């Protein structure tokens, strides 16, 4: 069975910058450098993690990443190189919007110069079906209890561990205190039990605009499935896919249609702006133009950097009569089956995901929860959470990850599914009827998924 190349991005867990040079290096397979002595190592999955042994001679492994910019991950790599002096990690950051096409090119041609790469969690099944992931079950047989359950589930496909989870995510609702105060809107509580409804947020957002706010409500990842799935889930609409192996679209439900009607109304009523790309939505809140901003804790440092921005956080809202649902999922590491440096790669994967709590302890400003349960202490001790404007963020994040976090649909056809939904959300935000747009999406996805059934 032939699978299509991946060409559409998924959500980025943190802002990333990168250049054409990094993309060119990845596509051409250059830049891994170093001694190829790792080629004599055993194939991935045959050496128990407890028995992983550093190479006796220098080895360089290539790591393609989209979760972090090269400068951001430097402290992690420096710590790894200090502990494993014979293994050098050549990290090649790729702009997020180009990442999947770069991976497609390299992995489809079985390029052995790419060793380790970031895997956005909902794409695990799609990558596994294409033969792009190495079975890690024997290398890491005991992850249960070491990483959170949702991350472990996302790293498993066909009953096999095929990625090493290292980072997950959650969401908050940021609000601008100055704009709310000017409109006479009470500041919301940071307690999960006092969670606002989307209906209440909409009404308050309109009040802030009447009092001078440019926009009442702006979603961080506008028109993206990661951010919007919880809207339908809150109303009982499900993830949008079901049936055998989640290969039947399930978008024409009351939950999906009602939530998308509401979503479209935000733009029709000019509560949210049309045409603002994802990369610019945080800037609108950071500059004081937005009353309510649903987004991740990773934006805390950006917002806190503006000393004049008086903001607070509260729980991610839900629909009246529905249930509380929050986005989750993040990044794992995959091992290229064509890699000739499997053991050195597994040692690095173990360092990122497991050793001493994983990579989180080395990040000076993480603001994203690690998958490793021991590593969460480093996350919750971040400086940003001591800022009084972020009061309640730690308890909220802990609560959401334990009680409301919901993974995106797991399906071999995830690539086509997300691609279609991104276009569908864009159409709805630009005025298309939610019912007709979801009907069209259903037809498109059904056609695209025929090859998987």
């Amino acid at each position: 069975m032939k699978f299509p190349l991946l060409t559409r991005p998924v959500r980025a867990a943190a802002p990333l910058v990168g250049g054409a040079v990094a993309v060119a290096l990845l596509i051409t397979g250059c830049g891994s450098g170093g001694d190829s002595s790792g080629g004599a190592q055993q194939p991935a999955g045959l050496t128990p993690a407890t028995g992983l042994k550093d190479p006796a001679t220098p080895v360089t492994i290539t790591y393609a990443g989209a979760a972090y910019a090269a400068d951001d991950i430097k402290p992690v790599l420096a710590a790894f190189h200090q502990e494993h002096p014979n293994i050098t990690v050549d990290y090649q950051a790729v702009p997020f919007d180009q990442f999947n096409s770069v991976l497609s090119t390299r992995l489809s041609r079985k390029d052995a110069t790419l060793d380790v790469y970031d895997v956005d969690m909902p794409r695990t099944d799609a990558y596994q079906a294409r033969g792009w992931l190495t079975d890690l079950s024997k290398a890491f047989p005991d992850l249960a209890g070491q990483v959170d359950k949702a991350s472990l589930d996302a790293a498993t496909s066909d009953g096999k561990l095929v990625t090493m989870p290292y980072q997950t995510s959650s969401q908050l609702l940021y609000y601008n205190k100055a704009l709310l105060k000017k409109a006479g809107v009470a500041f919301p509580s940071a307690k999960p039990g006092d969670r606002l409804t989307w209906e209440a947020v909409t009404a308050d957002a309109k009040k802030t605009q009447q009092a001078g706010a440019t926009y009442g409500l702006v979603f961080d990842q506008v028109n993206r499935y990661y951010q919007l799935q919880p809207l339908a889930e809150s109303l009982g609409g499900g993830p949008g896919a079901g049936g055998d192996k989640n290969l039947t679209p399930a978008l024409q439900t009351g939950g999906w249609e009602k939530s998308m009607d509401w979503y479209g109304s935000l733009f029709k009523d000019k509560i949210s702006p049309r045409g603002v790309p994802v990369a610019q939505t945080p800037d609108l809140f950071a500059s004081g133009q937005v009353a309510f901003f649903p987004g991740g804790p990773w934006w805390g440092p950006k917002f806190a950097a503006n000393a004049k921005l008086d903001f607070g956080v509260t729980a991610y809202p839900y629909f009246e009569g529905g249930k509380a649902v929050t986005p989750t999922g993040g990044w794992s590491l995959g091992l290229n089956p064509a890699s000739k440096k499997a053991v050195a790669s597994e040692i690095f994967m173990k360092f990122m995901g497991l050793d001493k709590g994983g990579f989180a302890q080395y990040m000076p400003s993480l603001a994203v929860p690690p998958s490793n349960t021991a590593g969460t202490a480093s996350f919750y001790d971040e400086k940003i959470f001591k800022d009084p404007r972020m009061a309640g963020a730690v308890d909220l994040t802990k609560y959401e990850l334990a009680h409301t976090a919901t993974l995106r649909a797991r399906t071999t056809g995830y690539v086509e599914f997300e691609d279609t939904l991104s276009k569908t959300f864009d159409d709805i935000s630009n005025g298309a009827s939610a019912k007709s747009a979801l009907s069209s999406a259903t037809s498109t996805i059904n056609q695209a998924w025929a090859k998987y059934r």
Side-chain angles (χ1 to χ4, degrees), residues 256-275:
W256 272 94
E257 291 179 1
K258 183 177 179 180
S259 63
M260 289 300 101
D261 275 336
W262 172 82
Y263 182 66
S265 73
L266 297 177
F267 301 89
K268 179 182 178 182
D269 297 340
K270 299 183 179 179
I271 298 172
S272 300
R274 286 173 173 155

Side-chain angles (χ1 to χ4, degrees), residues 175-245:
Y175 60 91
N176 183 308
K177 289 185 175 181
L179 295 179
L180 266 62
K181 184 177 181 179
K182 186 177 180 181
V185 175
F187 299 157
S189 165
K191 296 180 180 179
D194 297 330
R195 189 184 307 269
L196 296 172
T197 64
W198 286 116
E199 290 88 348
V201 172
T202 306
D204 288 343
K206 291 179 179 178
K207 291 178 183 178
T208 64
Q209 285 184 285
Q210 292 167 0
T214 306
Y215 303 112
L217 172 63
V218 175
F219 279 93
D220 172 11
Q221 296 182 37
V222 62
N223 295 343
R224 284 189 175 176
Y225 177 56
Y226 168 83
Q227 189 88 72
L228 304 185
Q229 175 197 357
L231 302 180
E233 294 267 16
S234 177
L235 289 169
D244 184 32
K245 297 182 180 179

Side-chain angles (χ1 to χ4, degrees), residues 246-407:
N246 274 347
L247 284 171
T248 300
L251 299 167
Q252 294 175 282
T253 66
W256 272 94
E257 291 179 1
K258 183 177 179 180
S259 63
M260 289 300 101
D261 275 336
W262 172 82
Y263 182 66
S265 73
L266 297 177
F267 301 89
K268 179 182 178 182
D269 297 340
K270 299 183 179 179
I271 298 172
S272 300
R274 286 173 173 155
V276 177
V278 170
Q280 295 177 16
T281 58
D283 294 329
L284 294 178
F285 186 83
S287 61
Q289 300 181 65
V290 178
F292 294 100
F293 182 83
W298 49 88
W299 292 121
K302 179 181 180 70
F303 299 156
N306 182 353
K308 296 181 180 180
L309 183 65
D310 191 11
F311 67 91
V313 298
T314 186
Y316 203 77
Y318 72 110
F319 281 109
E320 183 177 344
K323 64 179 181 179
V325 179
T326 54
T328 195
W331 295 95
S332 298
L333 290 177
L335 174 57
N336 181 5
S339 171
K340 303 299 183 182
K341 305 169 185 179
V343 172
S345 297
E346 287 175 346
I347 290 171
F348 174 66
M349 296 168 82
K350 181 172 177 286
F351 178 88
M352 284 286 287
L354 302 177
D355 291 352
K356 302 176 184 178
F359 82 111
Q361 62 191 299
Y362 306 108
M363 297 290 284
S365 182
L366 182 62
V368 179
S371 296
N372 188 296
T373 53
T376 55
S378 297
F379 167 66
Y380 293 125
D381 195 44
E382 287 288 334
K383 180 180 178 181
I384 183 58
F385 294 125
K386 295 174 175 59
D387 189 306
R389 292 172 290 181
M390 291 290 285
V394 169
D395 289 341
L396 280 172
T397 303
K398 288 180 178 179
Y399 182 88
E400 307 294 31
L401 287 173
H403 300 285
T404 67
T406 303
L407 287 168

Side-chain angles (χ1 to χ4, degrees), residues 1 11 47 57 146 151 168 197 251 292 301 347 349 398 444:
M1 181 179 295
R11 112 189 144 80
T47 305
T57 55
Q146 296 189 67
S151 293
T168 186
T197 64
L251 299 167
F292 294 100
I347 290 171
M349 296 168 82
K398 288 180 178 179
T444 300

Side-chain angles (χ1 to χ4, degrees), residues 12 30 33 73 75 130 136 142 147 195 206 226 245 298-299 327 337-338 341 409 414 417 422-423 431:
C30 298
I73 203 170
R130 289 161 175 77
L136 303 171
D142 56 353
V147 300
R195 189 184 307 269
K206 291 179 179 178
Y226 168 83
K245 297 182 180 179
W298 49 88
W299 292 121
K341 305 169 185 179
Y414 184 83
F417 180 68
S422 294
K423 297 172 182 175

